[in-house]
Amino acid sequence: MAQCGGEVADIEESIGFARAEMLSKPLAGTISEYVGHVFVCVKKPASEWASDVFSEGGCTAQLAKAVKGASAGYPGDVKVTVVEAEPSEAEGDVIFCPGPMSSDQTPVLFRGAALSDAGIKALTELVIPRSDYSMLNHEKLSTVQIFVCSHSQRDKRCGHCGPQLVEKLRSELGDSAQVRPCSHVGGHIYAGNVLVMTSTLDWYGYVRPLDVTAISSKLKGQSDAEAGLVKLWRGRMGLSVDEQKAMVPA
């Protein structure tokens, strides 16, 4: 049944882009410092993910547990997030975005790495701490990677805003970027949450469809786009909270 104008407005004001909380808080420094990000590909769409996406077992849970178990040997936190696989990808493929532990921060795709104990061992003991990719089938990703929190069972704001942003970003960017729905990244109040991986992994919050043009312009190297994104910038992988805050003019 189609929604009338009043119902649509109510939804936008409660969980959508017209929420009173939108742009209500400064965002720089709203992510804690961490040093690497692992994205596990699944075929199940984001709309069907459980609130705790790792509670369903399978390769995602095994990898997340292994990363947590090995974390004492890392120089900082490493995040694990679930993403919808692209048509060319399979369940258990892994994208690793290396942080300051690596001299080369190009994201890397590992085919089927989360499907076996050997693959998970190589990820946690070689790939993450040493940037040693030699034991796994891999390819470096030259295309910009964008991850949009669309985890509806975790928070309705993300479930409402995320898919709209995915559609808008894909339309605007075309083949110049791979845009993927992802699971909870933290900060429901800041939905839409968008992570953009180029030579750095930058987080943006309160992103609306009208902000997508600025993201597109920044990726095309247009310097004037930066001003429109400053208020949306939450931070960057590899930087401390204080370093993130210091990068935004007071």
Side-chain angles (χ1 to χ4, degrees):
M1 181 181 296
Q3 295 172 320
C4 69
E7 290 175 325
V8 171
D10 288 346
I11 291 171
E12 286 301 319
E13 290 175 1
S14 61
I15 61 174
F17 300 108
R19 307 189 313 272
E21 67 195 12
M22 291 292 285
L23 304 175
S24 63
K25 296 181 179 180
L27 293 182
T30 57
I31 63 169
S32 57
E33 183 176 5
Y34 74 112
V35 297
H37 208 137
V38 176
F39 296 90
V40 190
C41 298
V42 299
K43 285 297 188 180
K44 181 186 288 187
S47 60
E48 297 179 13
W49 295 343
S51 176
D52 179 0
V53 74
F54 299 112
S55 68
E56 299 181 305
C59 64
T60 56
Q62 292 173 351
L63 180 56
K65 181 179 179 180
V67 170
K68 183 177 181 179
S71 61
Y74 303 154
D77 289 338
V78 174
K79 295 184 182 295
V80 180
T81 301
V82 171
V83 297
E84 280 189 21
E86 292 279 287
S88 62
E89 296 163 353
E91 186 93 9
D93 286 355
V94 172
I95 299 166
F96 178 55
C97 295
M101 292 186 290
S102 175
S103 59
D104 181 0
Q105 296 189 23
T106 304
V108 184
L109 172 66
F110 298 92
R111 297 285 184 184
L115 295 179
S116 68
D117 291 342
I120 290 174
K121 182 179 176 67
L123 284 169
T124 55
E125 297 183 6
L126 298 175
V127 171
I128 295 173
R130 304 180 192 176
S131 297
D132 180 352
Y133 307 152
S134 61
M135 298 298 292
L136 294 172
N137 179 12
H138 69 278
E139 58 187 270
K140 292 191 175 183
L141 300 175
S142 57
T143 305
V144 173
Q145 303 295 309
I146 298 179
F147 309 96
V148 183
C149 184
S150 306
H151 199 166
S152 59
Q153 295 301 316
R154 189 65 180 263
D155 190 273
K156 291 181 179 180
R157 290 166 290 193
C158 300
H160 180 79
C161 297
Q164 294 183 62
L165 290 171
V166 168
E167 182 178 357
K168 181 69 174 176
L169 284 159
R170 285 174 172 169
S171 175
E172 183 88 17
L173 296 170
D175 295 335
S176 66
Q178 289 183 307
V179 183
R180 309 161 188 269
C182 75
S183 63
H184 173 65
V185 294
H188 309 303
I189 191 174
Y190 309 127
N193 284 297
V194 177
L195 283 59
V196 180
M197 181 69 197
T198 52
S199 58
T200 57
L201 181 54
D202 288 282
W203 293 46
Y204 298 91
Y206 294 143
V207 179
R208 303 157 296 179
L210 61 85
D211 299 310
V212 168
T213 297
I215 293 175
S216 176
S217 297
K218 177 178 171 60
L219 293 175
K220 293 174 182 176
Q222 298 175 13
S223 58
D224 58 344
E226 193 70 39
L229 293 176
V230 169
K231 66 181 181 296
L232 307 180
W233 189 74
R234 293 187 58 186
R236 177 177 296 165
M237 180 176 65
L239 297 182
S240 69
V241 169
D242 288 341
E243 288 171 331
Q244 293 168 38
K245 290 179 177 178
M247 290 184 67
V248 174

